[in-house]
Amino acid sequence: MAIKNVMEIVVRDVLMANKNDLYLTCTCTRCLDDVMASALNNLPPRYIVNEDHQPYVRVMHEANQEGAIAILKTVTQSASMVSKNPRCDAHKQ
C-alpha cells in the first residue's frame, strides 16, 4: 500500500522556491529538513493513495491564494524558529 502526503511536496517546493528570502542561518540538509518537519507538523496533511492524483492536490493548494499564503507563512515561521535554534553539526558548541 502506497500512501503519500502531498503536503510534503508542496512544502518542499515552497521552501526551495523561497530559501534565499527566508534568511536561514544555515541551509544544510539537516536544517532544511527541520524546517520542513516543523512546517508539516503545523499544516494539515493531504494524503493520496493514487500517485496520479498528486498534480490535482498540488494545484488545489497553489491555485487557492489563501491556502498558498498560509503555507508560505507556516514555512516562514518554521524557518525563523530553526534559524534561531539550529541543530546541525555546524552549529553545535
Side-chain angles (χ1 to χ4, degrees):
M1 181 171 14
I3 298 173
K4 179 102 176 143
N5 181 5
V6 178
M7 193 58 75
E8 289 181 33
I9 298 165
V10 173
V11 168
R12 180 177 296 114
D13 289 349
V14 169
L15 175 58
M16 299 314 287
N18 296 285
K19 185 169 71 169
N20 295 331
D21 299 324
L22 295 173
Y23 304 108
L24 293 162
T25 57
C26 182
T27 58
C28 74
T29 302
R30 171 66 189 262
C31 288
L32 293 177
D33 286 347
D34 283 347
V35 171
M36 279 196 56
S38 174
L40 287 166
N41 282 329
N42 290 293
L43 290 166
R46 295 292 179 246
Y47 292 106
I48 58 169
V49 294
N50 183 341
E51 290 273 336
D52 295 338
H53 295 161
Q54 179 179 320
Y56 302 112
V57 176
R58 289 181 66 189
V59 166
M60 281 184 352
H61 290 287
E62 292 166 1
N64 176 353
Q65 187 175 11
E66 214 172 272
I69 290 170
I71 293 168
L72 179 58
K73 180 179 176 184
T74 302
V75 169
T76 301
Q77 290 170 340
S78 295
S80 176
M81 182 187 69
V82 170
S83 286
K84 290 176 184 171
N85 304 295
R87 300 184 312 150
C88 64
D89 291 336
H91 290 89
K92 285 187 179 176
Q93 297 177 14

